[in-house]
Amino acid sequence: MEDARRRYLDLIRRDGAELSPALAEAFATVPREVFVPDGFHRRDGRRVLPADPEFLPTVYSDDVLVTKLNGEVPVSSSSQPSLMATMIEALDVRPGLRVLEIGAGTGYNAALLASLGATVTTVDVQPDVAARARSALARAGIAGVRVEAADGWTGGPPERYDRIIVTVGVTGISPHWLDRLEPDGRIVVPVAHGGIHPVLDVRHGPAATVVCSAGFMGAAGPLGARHPRSHPPAATALEDLTERSPARWRPPLDPDAYRSLWYAAAAWHYRVSHASIPGREQSYLALLDDTGRAGAVVLADGAILASGAEADRWTAVGIALADRWQALDRPPMRAWRTTFALAGDPAAPIWAPSRWTLSAST
């Protein structure tokens, strides 16, 4: 186990996360396997049980562990550790701070926060998920965490918090969170943008800067409400794509640059989303037509594939967005600032992203 956890820290760092000494100690000492006692599904859908030889090696890998499915759709998990680390570091947790977590999941993230000295309230809308997280925290001997079964939009018990962290993809910020947040507090939250969920650092205002790119399970209810700036849902697979514009970048954009292009394109155009291509594993930046089943895909090398009756139109839009990003000297996603406006159901509103601007230094 000692070797497995040492390798675990190396994997988390290798995938880009910075670990403070305190957070490295938390990852090294909180037993992740305790939080998945019934096993999990791997990213490829395979079920892994505690008796399987791959159980511990997978637990101590930098990968998501899916712990509950609704049919074939994941509805609860233990997130990818390097993403957890990046979000926790952005939260700036210190001993004695009061932290609200929206989305209890397995309880592992709350355990890490408590190991940093925070007093944690974690909320999950699924009572069975909340109950399992509560049991796992008890088995792991983690003190300082309260688990509540409640709708995350309400924020659970009406208390004040220094920090709020959200571990489910949302389309906006609950007003209740801002009401509970201390004046110098912050919210670290994945907010839908272009079909994915970039993580934002939100302060009172509300206004936000980008922490990192991410993809999360989407929230139900008010936290998943569509709004005037919502992008199209992801296309599961675009068929009959043909190349309409050749590659423009050699070498192709690295993953960080490609995600930055994606973020900018979604700030500039309302039809940006993501799509899969048959025979390829990853998802791609896409411009979807009104049917959501055709449009254009911008690849990492700048080539554009398109399909459908309006293929020429969406190819031209893709070229214009790529050219605009290139002309601005390829701004990274962290250069963007987001402001919000009230949207959603008037009876259960959210602060939804409404405007994106580049920092003056960009």
Side-chain angles (χ1 to χ4, degrees):
M1 286 302 299
E2 192 171 318
D3 288 342
R5 289 177 181 166
R6 186 162 45 248
R7 178 175 175 274
Y8 184 45
L9 296 182
D10 290 340
L11 290 172
I12 293 171
R13 292 189 180 102
R14 187 188 68 187
D15 284 343
E18 294 184 7
L19 293 175
S20 66
L23 186 55
E25 179 69 13
F27 273 108
T29 56
V30 175
R32 194 184 189 198
E33 70 274 15
V34 171
F35 295 86
V36 286
D38 301 318
F40 50 85
H41 289 83
R42 298 186 60 149
R43 196 183 293 266
D44 61 8
R46 287 188 298 118
R47 181 74 187 274
V48 179
L49 298 174
D52 294 338
E54 64 187 298
F55 178 76
L56 281 177
T58 308
V59 165
Y60 288 104
S61 68
D62 187 32
D63 208 352
V64 61
L65 310 178
V66 175
T67 52
K68 183 179 178 182
L69 298 170
N70 182 6
E72 296 184 357
V73 178
V75 293
S76 189
S77 70
S78 177
S79 297
Q80 184 177 7
S82 59
L83 177 57
M84 298 168 71
T86 298
M87 292 177 67
I88 291 172
E89 292 288 17
L91 201 64
D92 188 26
V93 178
R94 299 188 297 273
L97 293 187
R98 297 157 297 170
V99 177
L100 171 64
E101 180 187 44
I102 304 298
T106 64
Y108 181 58
N109 196 67
L112 295 171
L113 293 167
S115 296
L116 296 175
T119 299
V120 183
T121 298
T122 184
V123 172
D124 205 289
V125 71
Q126 304 173 83
D128 60 324
V129 171
R132 284 197 291 271
R134 192 179 296 115
S135 296
L137 287 158
R139 286 194 303 273
I142 304 295
V145 180
R146 176 177 57 175
V147 184
E148 298 282 347
D151 186 343
W153 179 79
T154 69
E159 298 176 3
R160 305 289 296 177
Y161 298 98
D162 302 292
R163 302 284 188 270
I164 299 174
I165 186 168
V166 183
T167 59
V168 61
V170 300
T171 56
I173 310 299
S174 169
H176 293 289
W177 303 346
L178 294 171
D179 290 344
R180 310 282 174 79
L181 192 64
E182 295 291 357
D184 60 347
R186 68 206 311 175
I187 304 172
V188 173
V189 52
V191 179
H193 180 80
I196 51 179
H197 293 96
V199 177
L200 302 182
D201 181 353
V202 181
R203 311 297 176 94
H204 276 285
T209 54
V210 181
V211 174
C212 65
S213 180
F216 277 84
M217 300 171 193
L223 292 176
R226 294 187 63 79
H227 57 80
R229 292 291 302 185
S230 289
H231 293 84
T236 53
L238 291 184
E239 304 280 354
D240 303 322
L241 291 165
T242 59
E243 184 174 302
R244 298 301 185 102
S245 181
R248 67 181 61 208
W249 294 309
R250 290 187 173 86
L253 301 176
D254 64 33
D256 284 344
Y258 186 60
R259 288 189 287 263
S260 292
L261 167 64
W262 194 327
Y263 191 93
W268 293 327
H269 202 286
Y270 73 106
R271 295 304 301 181
V272 169
S273 187
H274 78 88
S276 59
I277 299 175
R280 305 194 191 191
E281 289 187 6
Q282 71 182 82
S283 290
Y284 295 88
L285 159 59
L287 288 144
L288 301 180
D289 67 11
D290 290 339
T291 70
R293 297 188 296 272
V297 173
V298 183
L299 303 181
D301 63 5
I304 296 179
L305 315 180
S307 65
E310 297 182 288
D312 289 343
R313 174 193 173 191
W314 294 112
T315 298
V317 173
I319 291 170
L321 292 173
D323 286 348
R324 185 176 179 183
W325 181 72
Q326 180 70 39
L328 288 170
D329 199 23
R330 302 184 179 187
M333 68 173 64
R334 289 182 176 85
W336 290 88
R337 178 180 173 86
T338 307
T339 53
F340 298 76
L342 275 176
D345 183 349
I350 54 173
W351 285 98
S354 65
R355 187 166 179 261
W356 293 265
T357 55
L358 284 167
S359 63
S361 61
T362 301

